[in-house]
Amino acid sequence: GDADPRVTSRRLLCSSLARVWPAYTIGFTGGFLVSALDPWESQLAVQFDWCNSTNLSTAALASHLYCREGSVNFALVSLSLFLGAILGCLVNRFVAEVGRVFILRAICVFVIPGSLLTGLAPDGRGLGSMNAWGLLIAGRAVAGVGMGWVCVSSPLYVSELAATEHRGKLLMVSMLAQSAGSFVAVALALAVTAPAGSADYSNDALNQWFWRAVVLTPVGLCGLALAALSRATETPYILCKRGRQAEARALLQQIHGRQDVEAEFSAADGQAQRALSKTVIPPESRL
């Protein structure tokens, strides 16, 4: 007899999850980047000696953790991430049209070196405060370019590879993944029980290195996503755009679990043909 619709629906949901989870990982990484440094302003002020507190005793240190120079330096480090994200957003459309899998990989290509530059920046005693500060800014800006692609590209990938009946809930999970990334990045700071500024603070190895481990977390997440994306196929829209309509149709049949996917194929192919037609229209005609 006919298969149980509920069983079929669950099977399609599991199949869709197997395809889209790398996008969730990258979405989580994007949210993580937003908040990764937020809890560590005081520790960075100590470690990069923004407030000239290197030679102070622990008892006198608390009153020297906050200064105008430290606040400005940390603000610039934070803002550099969003400046990179703005640049990423400006070119997101053009990069995404090359390929949905391509842009997810490109996100990692920016996030990995950016996180490495930030997390491995020598402290003020190793390289000089201003030079190390520059590495922090450069690392966050580079990672920010990738972060600027996450908000659009991750949901776009999910929407084009999810079965129609599950698309809404899978897109919701995509948004939740980004929020969860920010939450986890801040929650990890709770592991440090005596942070900079507390009465029992000491600039020990945990305080000096734990924030670096947090900042380097996106490297592992992106490595996991890249491993999965190395075998991932492009979405039906991109396959149609590349003239591989037969592959697009076969993929849609897998996604929707049925042979009759004419409506879905026509929508993907029509969108691809419209995109291709725009690339050959002269700019003055578009205007």
Side-chain angles (χ1 to χ4, degrees), residues 34-54:
V34 173
S35 303
L37 276 184
D38 285 355
W40 308 106
E41 179 178 358
S42 298
Q43 179 59 33
L44 294 181
V46 173
Q47 210 154 330
F48 295 100
D49 200 23
W50 287 338
C51 297
N52 298 315
S53 56
T54 300

Side-chain angles (χ1 to χ4, degrees), residues 93 95-105 153 156-157 160 229 234-235 237-238 242 271:
R93 174 190 173 191
V95 180
E97 286 300 307
V98 176
R100 308 310 197 210
V101 173
F102 174 82
I103 194 170
L104 292 181
R105 291 172 180 163
S153 301
L156 195 60
Y157 180 81
E160 293 181 6
L229 290 170
E234 277 293 353
T235 65
Y237 162 72
I238 295 296
R242 294 176 180 177
Q271 182 185 2

Side-chain angles (χ1 to χ4, degrees), residues 80 113-114 117-118 133-144:
S80 62
L117 277 174
T118 305
W133 173 70
L135 287 178
L136 288 175
I137 288 181
R140 295 289 278 176
V142 171

